[in-house]
Coordinates of all heavy atoms in Angstrom, one line a residue:
V176 N 20.7 -43.4 -10.0 CA 21.1 -42.1 -10.2 C 20.4 -41.1 -9.2 O 21.1 -40.2 -8.7 CB 20.8 -41.6 -11.7 CG1 21.0 -40.2 -11.9 CG2 21.6 -42.5 -12.6
I177 N 19.2 -41.3 -8.9 CA 18.4 -40.4 -8.1 C 18.7 -40.5 -6.7 O 18.8 -39.5 -5.9 CB 16.8 -40.6 -8.4 CG1 16.5 -40.1 -9.8 CG2 16.0 -39.8 -7.4 CD1 16.8 -38.6 -10.0
L178 N 18.9 -41.7 -6.1 CA 19.0 -41.9 -4.7 C 20.3 -41.1 -4.2 O 20.2 -40.4 -3.2 CB 19.2 -43.4 -4.4 CG 17.9 -44.2 -4.4 CD1 18.2 -45.6 -4.1 CD2 16.9 -43.6 -3.4
P179 N 21.4 -41.0 -4.9 CA 22.5 -40.2 -4.5 C 22.1 -38.7 -4.4 O 22.7 -38.0 -3.6 CB 23.6 -40.4 -5.4 CG 23.3 -41.8 -6.0 CD 21.8 -41.9 -6.0
Q180 N 21.2 -38.3 -5.3 CA 20.8 -36.9 -5.3 C 20.1 -36.5 -4.0 O 20.1 -35.4 -3.6 CB 20.0 -36.6 -6.5 CG 20.7 -36.7 -7.9 CD 19.8 -36.2 -9.0 OE1 18.8 -35.6 -8.8 NE2 20.3 -36.6 -10.2
F181 N 19.4 -37.5 -3.5 CA 18.6 -37.2 -2.2 C 19.6 -36.9 -1.1 O 19.3 -36.2 -0.1 CB 17.7 -38.3 -1.9 CG 16.4 -38.3 -2.6 CD1 16.3 -39.1 -3.7 CD2 15.4 -37.5 -2.3 CE1 15.1 -39.2 -4.4 CE2 14.2 -37.5 -3.0 CZ 14.1 -38.3 -4.1
V182 N 20.8 -37.4 -1.2 CA 21.9 -37.2 -0.2 C 22.6 -35.9 -0.6 O 23.0 -35.0 0.2 CB 22.9 -38.4 -0.1 CG1 23.9 -38.0 0.9 CG2 22.0 -39.6 0.3
I183 N 22.9 -35.7 -1.9 CA 23.7 -34.6 -2.4 C 23.0 -33.3 -2.2 O 23.6 -32.3 -1.9 CB 24.1 -34.8 -3.9 CG1 25.1 -36.0 -3.9 CG2 24.8 -33.6 -4.5 CD1 25.4 -36.4 -5.4
L184 N 21.7 -33.3 -2.5 CA 20.9 -32.0 -2.4 C 20.9 -31.4 -1.0 O 21.2 -30.2 -0.9 CB 19.5 -32.3 -2.9 CG 18.5 -31.1 -3.0 CD1 19.1 -30.1 -4.1 CD2 17.1 -31.4 -3.3
P185 N 20.6 -32.1 0.1 CA 20.7 -31.5 1.4 C 22.1 -31.0 1.7 O 22.3 -29.9 2.3 CB 20.2 -32.5 2.4 CG 19.4 -33.4 1.6 CD 20.1 -33.5 0.2
V186 N 23.1 -31.8 1.3 CA 24.6 -31.4 1.5 C 24.8 -30.1 0.7 O 25.5 -29.2 1.2 CB 25.5 -32.6 1.1 CG1 26.9 -32.1 1.2 CG2 25.3 -33.8 2.0
A187 N 24.4 -30.0 -0.5 CA 24.6 -28.8 -1.3 C 23.9 -27.6 -0.7 O 24.5 -26.6 -0.6 CB 24.0 -29.0 -2.7
V188 N 22.7 -27.8 -0.2 CA 22.0 -26.7 0.5 C 22.8 -26.2 1.7 O 23.0 -25.1 2.0 CB 20.6 -27.1 0.9 CG1 20.0 -26.0 1.8 CG2 19.8 -27.3 -0.3
L189 N 23.3 -27.2 2.5 CA 24.1 -26.9 3.7 C 25.4 -26.2 3.3 O 25.8 -25.2 4.0 CB 24.5 -28.2 4.5 CG 25.3 -28.0 5.7 CD1 24.6 -27.2 6.7 CD2 25.6 -29.5 6.3
L190 N 26.1 -26.7 2.2 CA 27.3 -26.0 1.8 C 27.0 -24.6 1.3 O 27.8 -23.7 1.6 CB 27.9 -26.8 0.7 CG 28.5 -28.2 1.1 CD1 29.0 -28.9 -0.1 CD2 29.7 -28.0 2.2
V191 N 25.9 -24.4 0.6 CA 25.5 -23.1 0.2 C 25.3 -22.1 1.4 O 25.8 -21.0 1.4 CB 24.3 -23.1 -0.7 CG1 23.7 -21.7 -1.0 CG2 24.6 -23.7 -2.0
W192 N 24.6 -22.7 2.4 CA 24.4 -21.9 3.6 C 25.6 -21.5 4.3 O 25.9 -20.4 4.7 CB 23.5 -22.8 4.6 CG 23.1 -22.1 5.8 CD1 23.9 -21.7 6.9 CD2 21.8 -21.6 6.1 NE1 23.2 -21.1 7.8 CE2 21.9 -21.0 7.4 CE3 20.6 -21.6 5.4 CZ2 20.7 -20.4 8.0 CZ3 19.5 -21.0 6.1 CH2 19.6 -20.4 7.4
L193 N 26.6 -22.5 4.4 CA 27.8 -22.2 5.1 C 28.7 -21.2 4.2 O 29.3 -20.3 4.8 CB 28.6 -23.5 5.3 CG 28.0 -24.5 6.3 CD1 28.8 -25.8 6.3 CD2 27.9 -23.9 7.7
A194 N 28.7 -21.4 2.9 CA 29.4 -20.5 2.1 C 28.9 -19.0 2.1 O 29.7 -18.1 2.2 CB 29.4 -21.0 0.6
L195 N 27.6 -18.9 2.2 CA 27.0 -17.5 2.3 C 27.4 -17.0 3.7 O 27.7 -15.8 3.8 CB 25.5 -17.6 2.2 CG 25.0 -17.7 0.7 CD1 23.4 -17.8 0.7 CD2 25.5 -16.5 -0.1
A196 N 27.3 -17.8 4.7 CA 27.6 -17.3 6.1 C 29.1 -16.9 6.1 O 29.4 -15.9 6.7 CB 27.3 -18.3 7.1
R197 N 29.9 -17.6 5.5 CA 31.3 -17.3 5.5 C 31.6 -16.0 4.6 O 32.4 -15.2 5.0 CB 32.1 -18.5 4.9 CG 33.7 -18.2 4.8 CD 34.3 -18.0 6.2 NE 35.6 -17.7 6.1 CZ 36.2 -16.6 6.0 NH1 35.4 -15.5 5.9 NH2 37.6 -16.4 5.8
G198 N 30.9 -16.0 3.5 CA 31.1 -14.8 2.6 C 30.6 -13.5 3.2 O 31.1 -12.4 2.9
L199 N 29.5 -13.6 4.0 CA 28.9 -12.4 4.6 C 29.5 -12.0 6.0 O 29.1 -11.0 6.6 CB 27.4 -12.5 4.7 CG 26.7 -12.6 3.4 CD1 25.2 -12.8 3.7 CD2 26.8 -11.4 2.5
A200 N 30.5 -12.8 6.4 CA 31.1 -12.6 7.7 C 31.8 -11.2 7.7 O 31.6 -10.5 8.8 CB 32.1 -13.7 8.0
P201 N 32.5 -10.7 6.7 CA 33.0 -9.4 6.7 C 32.0 -8.3 6.8 O 32.2 -7.3 7.5 CB 33.8 -9.2 5.4 CG 34.1 -10.7 5.0 CD 32.9 -11.5 5.5
L202 N 30.8 -8.5 6.3 CA 29.8 -7.5 6.5 C 29.3 -7.5 7.9 O 29.0 -6.4 8.5 CB 28.6 -7.9 5.6 CG 28.7 -7.6 4.1 CD1 27.4 -7.9 3.3 CD2 29.1 -6.1 3.9
N203 N 29.1 -8.6 8.5 CA 28.7 -8.6 9.9 C 29.8 -8.0 10.8 O 29.5 -7.3 11.8 CB 28.5 -10.1 10.4 CG 27.4 -10.8 9.6 OD1 26.4 -10.1 9.2 ND2 27.4 -12.0 9.4
A204 N 31.1 -8.2 10.5 CA 32.2 -7.6 11.3 C 32.1 -6.1 11.1 O 32.3 -5.3 12.0 CB 33.5 -8.1 10.8
L205 N 31.9 -5.6 9.8 CA 31.7 -4.2 9.6 C 30.6 -3.6 10.4 O 30.6 -2.5 10.9 CB 31.6 -3.9 8.1 CG 31.4 -2.5 7.6 CD1 32.6 -1.7 8.0 CD2 31.1 -2.4 6.1
Q206 N 29.5 -4.4 10.4 CA 28.3 -3.9 11.1 C 28.6 -3.7 12.6 O 28.2 -2.7 13.2 CB 27.1 -4.8 10.9 CG 25.9 -4.5 11.7 CD 24.8 -5.6 11.6 OE1 25.1 -6.7 11.1 NE2 23.7 -5.3 12.2
R207 N 29.3 -4.7 13.2 CA 29.7 -4.7 14.6 C 30.6 -3.4 14.9 O 30.4 -2.7 15.9 CB 30.3 -5.9 15.0 CG 29.4 -7.1 15.1 CD 30.1 -8.3 15.9 NE 31.3 -8.7 15.3 CZ 31.4 -9.6 14.3 NH1 30.2 -10.2 13.9 NH2 32.5 -10.0 13.8
R208 N 31.5 -3.2 13.9 CA 32.4 -2.1 14.2 C 31.7 -0.8 14.2 O 32.0 0.2 15.0 CB 33.5 -2.0 13.1 CG 34.5 -3.2 13.2 CD 35.9 -2.9 12.6 NE 35.7 -2.4 11.2 CZ 35.7 -3.2 10.1 NH1 35.8 -4.5 10.3 NH2 35.6 -2.7 8.9
I209 N 30.7 -0.7 13.3 CA 29.9 0.6 13.2 C 29.0 0.8 14.4 O 28.9 1.9 15.0 CB 29.1 0.6 11.9 CG1 30.1 0.7 10.7 CG2 28.2 1.9 11.9 CD1 29.3 0.7 9.3
R210 N 28.4 -0.3 14.9 CA 27.5 -0.3 16.0 C 28.3 0.1 17.3 O 27.8 0.7 18.3 CB 26.8 -1.6 16.3 CG 25.7 -1.8 15.2 CD 24.9 -3.1 15.5 NE 23.8 -3.3 14.6 CZ 22.6 -2.8 14.7 NH1 22.4 -2.0 15.8 NH2 21.7 -3.0 13.9
E211 N 29.6 -0.4 17.4 CA 30.4 -0.2 18.6 C 30.9 1.2 18.7 O 31.6 1.5 19.7 CB 31.5 -1.3 18.7 CG 31.0 -2.6 18.9 CD 32.0 -3.7 18.7 OE1 33.2 -3.3 18.4 OE2 31.8 -4.9 19.0
R212 N 30.8 2.0 17.6 CA 31.4 3.4 17.6 C 30.6 4.3 18.6 O 29.4 4.2 18.7 CB 31.3 4.0 16.2 CG 32.4 3.5 15.3 CD 32.3 4.2 14.0 NE 33.6 4.1 13.3 CZ 34.2 5.0 12.6 NH1 33.7 6.2 12.5 NH2 35.3 4.8 11.9
E213 N 31.3 5.2 19.1 CA 30.7 6.3 19.9 C 30.0 7.3 19.0 O 30.3 7.4 17.8 CB 31.8 7.0 20.8 CG 32.5 6.1 21.8 CD 31.6 5.6 22.9 OE1 30.6 6.3 23.1 OE2 31.9 4.6 23.5
S214 N 29.0 7.9 19.5 CA 28.2 8.9 18.8 C 29.1 10.0 18.3 O 28.8 10.6 17.2 CB 27.0 9.4 19.6 OG 27.5 10.0 20.7
H215 N 30.1 10.4 19.0 CA 31.0 11.5 18.5 C 32.1 11.1 17.7 O 32.9 12.0 17.2 CB 31.5 12.2 19.8 CG 32.3 11.3 20.7 ND1 33.6 10.9 20.4 CD2 32.0 10.6 21.8 CE1 34.0 10.1 21.3 NE2 33.1 9.9 22.2
D216 N 32.3 9.8 17.4 CA 33.3 9.4 16.5 C 32.9 9.4 15.0 O 32.1 8.6 14.6 CB 33.7 7.9 16.9 CG 34.9 7.4 16.2 OD1 35.6 8.2 15.4 OD2 35.3 6.2 16.3
L217 N 33.4 10.4 14.3 CA 33.2 10.6 13.0 C 34.4 10.3 12.0 O 34.4 10.7 11.0 CB 32.7 12.1 12.7 CG 31.3 12.4 13.4 CD1 31.0 13.8 13.1 CD2 30.2 11.5 13.0
S218 N 35.3 9.6 12.6 CA 36.5 9.2 11.8 C 36.1 8.2 10.7 O 35.2 7.5 10.8 CB 37.6 8.6 12.7 OG 37.1 7.4 13.4
P219 N 36.9 8.2 9.6 CA 36.5 7.3 8.5 C 36.6 5.8 8.9 O 37.4 5.4 9.8 CB 37.6 7.6 7.4 CG 38.1 8.9 7.8 CD 38.1 9.0 9.3
I220 N 35.8 5.0 8.3 CA 35.8 3.6 8.5 C 36.9 3.0 7.7 O 37.1 3.3 6.6 CB 34.4 3.0 8.1 CG1 33.3 3.7 8.8 CG2 34.3 1.5 8.3 CD1 31.9 3.3 8.3
E221 N 37.6 2.0 8.3 CA 38.7 1.3 7.6 C 38.2 0.4 6.5 O 37.2 -0.3 6.6 CB 39.4 0.4 8.6 CG 40.6 -0.3 8.1 CD 41.7 0.7 7.7 OE1 42.0 1.6 8.5 OE2 42.1 0.6 6.5
E222 N 38.7 0.7 5.3 CA 38.3 0.0 4.1 C 39.0 -1.3 3.8 O 38.6 -2.1 3.0 CB 38.4 0.9 2.9 CG 37.6 2.2 3.0 CD 37.7 3.0 1.7 OE1 38.0 2.4 0.7 OE2 37.6 4.3 1.7
R223 N 40.1 -1.5 4.5 CA 40.9 -2.7 4.2 C 40.2 -4.0 4.4 O 40.4 -4.9 3.7 CB 42.2 -2.6 5.0 CG 43.2 -1.6 4.5 CD 44.5 -1.7 5.4 NE 44.2 -1.6 6.8 CZ 45.1 -1.8 7.8 NH1 46.4 -2.0 7.4 NH2 44.8 -1.6 9.0
D224 N 39.4 -4.1 5.5 CA 38.7 -5.3 5.9 C 37.4 -5.5 5.2 O 36.7 -6.5 5.3 CB 38.5 -5.4 7.4 CG 39.8 -5.3 8.1 OD1 40.9 -5.8 7.6 OD2 39.8 -4.8 9.3
A225 N 37.0 -4.5 4.4 CA 35.7 -4.5 3.7 C 35.9 -5.3 2.3 O 36.9 -5.0 1.7 CB 35.1 -3.1 3.5
P226 N 34.8 -6.1 1.9 CA 35.0 -6.7 0.6 C 34.9 -5.7 -0.5 O 34.5 -4.5 -0.3 CB 33.7 -7.7 0.5 CG 33.3 -7.8 1.9 CD 33.7 -6.5 2.7
D227 N 35.4 -6.1 -1.7 CA 35.5 -5.2 -2.8 C 34.1 -4.6 -3.2 O 33.9 -3.5 -3.6 CB 36.1 -5.8 -4.0 CG 37.6 -6.1 -3.8 OD1 38.2 -5.5 -2.9 OD2 38.2 -7.0 -4.5
E228 N 33.1 -5.5 -3.1 CA 31.7 -5.1 -3.4 C 31.2 -4.1 -2.5 O 30.2 -3.3 -2.8 CB 30.8 -6.3 -3.5 CG 31.1 -7.3 -4.6 CD 32.2 -8.2 -4.3 OE1 32.7 -8.1 -3.1 OE2 32.7 -9.0 -5.2
V229 N 31.6 -4.1 -1.3 CA 31.1 -3.1 -0.2 C 32.0 -1.9 -0.1 O 31.6 -0.9 0.5 CB 31.0 -3.8 1.1 CG1 30.3 -3.0 2.2 CG2 30.2 -5.2 1.0
A230 N 33.2 -1.9 -0.7 CA 34.1 -0.8 -0.6 C 33.5 0.5 -1.1 O 33.6 1.5 -0.4 CB 35.4 -1.1 -1.4

Side-chain angles (χ1 to χ4, degrees):
V176 175
I177 290 299
L178 286 179
Q180 292 188 15
F181 282 100
V182 179
I183 293 174
L184 186 62
V186 173
V188 172
L189 178 61
L190 291 177
V191 168
W192 184 287
L193 295 176
L195 281 178
R197 178 68 182 86
L199 294 178
L202 285 181
N203 295 329
L205 178 63
Q206 177 189 7
R207 286 194 301 272
R208 292 203 307 270
I209 295 176
R210 286 183 179 275
E211 291 171 357
R212 281 188 165 219
E213 298 292 337
S214 59
H215 57 79
D216 186 5
L217 298 178
S218 60
I220 302 171
E221 184 61 50
E222 297 184 27
R223 289 183 302 175
D224 299 331
D227 292 340
E228 293 78 8
V229 186

